[in-house]
Amino acid sequence: MDNQPRLRVLTRSRHAMIAGVCAGLAEHYHLRKNGPRFVFVLFSCFFAIPVLIYCVLWLILPQETLLHSVRADVQRRANSIRR
């Protein structure tokens, strides 16, 4: 009935190691959580800009709500069962 695509908002994840920015990016783009973390650490060793970008995203991205987190987990598990 509702054929319009849902607007997905980029948020900081509750599954965070530091601030949840990398985990939030991974969830938003359907990546494994360690992928963006590895890329961030790798580029941070050579350049300072990833740290600056991380801090800016930490300040501007909203924290993921508990309801959104539970809904995403249930949807992820349902998709893995279908495959």
Side-chain angles (χ1 to χ4, degrees):
M1 207 165 169
D2 185 10
N3 294 334
Q4 295 179 351
R6 291 176 41 110
L7 178 65
R8 294 181 52 228
V9 178
L10 180 60
T11 59
R12 290 184 288 134
S13 176
R14 290 193 171 275
H15 307 287
M17 290 187 98
I18 298 175
V21 174
C22 291
L25 287 169
E27 289 174 1
H28 185 76
Y29 292 110
H30 303 290
L31 302 170
R32 294 181 180 173
K33 288 180 182 57
N34 289 335
R37 290 173 180 158
F38 176 74
V39 171
F40 170 74
V41 169
L42 182 67
F43 281 117
S44 295
C45 291
F46 299 106
F47 308 105
I49 195 77
V51 177
L52 179 64
I53 292 171
Y54 190 93
C55 291
V56 169
L57 289 175
W58 185 3
L59 293 173
I60 63 173
L61 290 179
Q63 180 71 35
E64 180 181 51
T65 62
L66 182 60
L67 178 64
H68 183 259
S69 178
V70 169
R71 184 184 306 144
D73 287 340
V74 168
Q75 186 176 13
R76 193 175 310 117
R77 289 180 186 178
N79 288 339
S80 68
I81 291 172
R82 286 185 216 159
R83 292 180 188 171

